[in-house]
Every structure is written in structure tokens, then in C-alpha cells.
Amino acid sequence: MRVVIDCDDAAVDLKKTIVAHLEKSGVEAVDLDYLGSHPGAFYPEIGYNLALKIQDGTFERGILICGTGLGMAMIANKVKGVYAGVCHDVFSAERLRKSNDAQVLTMGARVIGPELAKTIVTAWLASEFQGGGSLPKVQQMHELENKSFESK
Ligand code: RB5
């Protein structure tokens, strides 16, 4: 599996830690390093850049890290067909895949430490959408999303 990852200036160290963790786990991590080519960039354009690569199918899973994880989740969710959630605990990370079928995990480098972040990433990667009772709920989200994008 290939996972795309990026961060803003608040999370450079944690991103490096997660990239190393993914590679150690046998998962290819593609670091977009938007900041490297756009110094001073803010989290919205960084998150948007990654979300477009989920939307167009280049990657199936992405990780975005900022100070809180909140801004990255908000901007990723503005891209049609992309679903992101901020997780700072393992249970939520599992449910983000199993119940919500989200492709993008966001975390806050100012909220959690590197060891918990690594555990969260591992749990999230090991989890898949379970369908069942969650399927009509996710389908409803897609329907409402389509409605929202069409009406504006
Ligand atoms: C810092 O720019 C901070 O606002 C950002 O990293 C993030 O926490 C936003 O949600």
C-alpha cells in the first residue's frame, strides 16, 4: 500500500516520524512536501493539494498533520469525494475506517506525541470499511454531499 502524507509548519517533525514509521512497517510513504516547494504555505493549500490526489485516485489513503489536525480535516473535507477525520485516539482511528470509510486521517502535532501518533496510524491502516449498518449512513453522506455541491 502507498500512503500520501503532508504537513504544515507546525508538524514537520511529526511528519518525519510518521514517514519513518510507515517505511519501517513496510508501507510506502509518499511525502508531497508542499512546504519544500511553497515556503510559507498555510495549511489550507497544503491539505487541498493532498486531497486532490485522493480525489483523482492517485492515492487511496492520505495523512495530513498540522498543529491540531482540525484545519487539515476541514480543508480536505471541502474536496468532493474526500472524507477526512481528526483522530487522537486509537478507537476513533479504527472507526474512521470501519464506520466512516474516510480515506484521510488528520492529526495535531501540538495535541499528541509521536508514540501515540504512530499507534494511531498503525490502527488506521489495519482497519477497513465494514459496510453493514454503516453502509446506508455513508451512502447518505455521499447523497447529501452531491446535493450540496450541486446547489452551490
Ligand atoms: C498553525 O498554522 C495552526 O493554525 C495549524 O497548524 C493548524 O493547527 C490549524 O488547524
Side-chain angles (χ1 to χ4, degrees):
M1 183 191 294
R2 284 197 321 157
V3 175
V4 65
I5 185 166
D6 214 345
C7 71
D8 74 357
D9 60 312
V12 173
D13 287 346
L14 183 57
K15 183 180 75 171
K16 285 180 188 164
T17 298
I18 297 301
V19 167
H21 173 67
L22 288 168
E23 286 174 354
K24 199 174 164 188
S25 309
V27 177
E28 185 186 350
V30 178
D31 181 0
L32 297 179
D33 190 22
Y34 190 89
L35 270 179
S37 52
H38 301 79
F42 295 157
Y43 69 83
E45 62 184 295
I46 299 167
Y48 188 74
N49 178 60
L50 183 145
L52 290 179
K53 294 181 191 322
I54 298 290
Q55 185 190 50
D56 71 13
T58 307
F59 298 95
E60 286 180 16
R61 301 252 201 133
I63 298 172
L64 284 167
I65 316 173
C66 59
T68 60
L70 298 171
M72 287 296 197
M74 291 168 74
I75 189 63
N77 280 311
K78 297 290 182 198
V79 177
K80 190 170 186 292
V82 177
Y83 308 100
V86 55
C87 296
H88 292 132
D89 68 274
V90 170
F91 179 74
S92 298
E94 289 175 350
R95 296 326 304 180
L96 187 67
R97 286 295 312 148
K98 292 182 178 180
S99 301
N100 306 111
D101 200 19
Q103 317 101 315
V104 177
L105 166 71
T106 77
M107 297 183 291
R110 295 174 179 161
V111 181
I112 53 170
E115 294 310 316
L116 178 55
K118 287 193 277 186
T119 308
I120 285 169
V121 167
T122 297
W124 175 73
L125 282 174
S127 303
E128 286 299 339
F129 183 53
Q130 288 183 329
S134 294
L135 183 59
K137 298 167 190 171
V138 166
Q139 284 172 335
Q140 187 176 67
M141 185 159 57
H142 293 184
E143 286 163 17
L144 292 171
E145 177 190 28
N146 287 335
K147 207 170 144 184
S148 171
F149 272 80
E150 281 162 13
S151 65
K152 296 289 181 289

